Amino acid sequence: MTVPKTSVLVLDCAEPEPLARFYGSLLDAAVGPAEGDADLILVSGPTGVLLGVRRDPGRVPPSWPLPEDSQQVHLRILVTPESLDEAEREAVALGARPVAAEGDDTRPGSRTTQRRYADPAGHAFVLAALGEPVG
């Protein structure tokens, strides 16, 4: 049995408010802060969250397609708080590699409500507890 999941694409940028307003206007969607994460703004429509825009003060604008470009986008996969450990086991069993940022506690059973990974091809994603403050 698999844990029920949903996901939202999160765009990292230095100033999330203007970018969120751009996408809100473009998608005819509401823009508002994410609960428990002051650096994340969500763009939501009638069907739910469409996109997230997250503050990253160190972001460098993309120089695509140059290969030395930094991560510009990551996938945030949302699960219920009680399913976070099981979702982590599923992701790792499928080939995800845990990636810890300085200060992260990504151990199973930790109180951290988000955990970072690289997919089998090296793309970044986060498993995050839906509706819980980021710890």
Side-chain angles (χ1 to χ4, degrees), residues 22-94:
F22 166 80
Y23 279 105
S25 295
L26 183 66
L27 300 171
D28 194 26
V31 173
E35 192 173 299
D37 188 343
D39 289 330
L40 181 63
I41 298 173
L42 299 177
V43 179
S44 303
T47 59
V49 177
L50 305 171
L51 183 68
V53 182
R54 184 184 150 272
R55 182 178 317 283
D56 179 358
R59 178 191 173 264
V60 176
S63 57
W64 186 87
L66 298 176
E68 59 273 359
D69 207 4
S70 64
Q71 170 189 307
Q72 299 297 317
V73 176
H74 72 271
L75 180 64
R76 183 171 289 234
I77 300 171
L78 307 173
V79 300
T80 60
E82 63 274 8
S83 299
L84 190 56
D85 288 341
E86 185 178 348
E88 177 174 49
R89 287 189 293 273
E90 288 177 2
V92 171
L94 292 169

Side-chain angles (χ1 to χ4, degrees), residues 7 15 20 28-29 33 57 59-60 66 72-73 78 81 90 93 97 102 106 108 115 121 123 127 130-131:
S7 63
E15 295 296 328
D28 194 26
R59 178 191 173 264
V60 176
L66 298 176
Q72 299 297 317
V73 176
L78 307 173
E90 288 177 2
R97 180 177 46 86
E102 190 172 328
T106 59
R115 299 175 189 168
H123 301 106
L127 288 175
L130 179 62

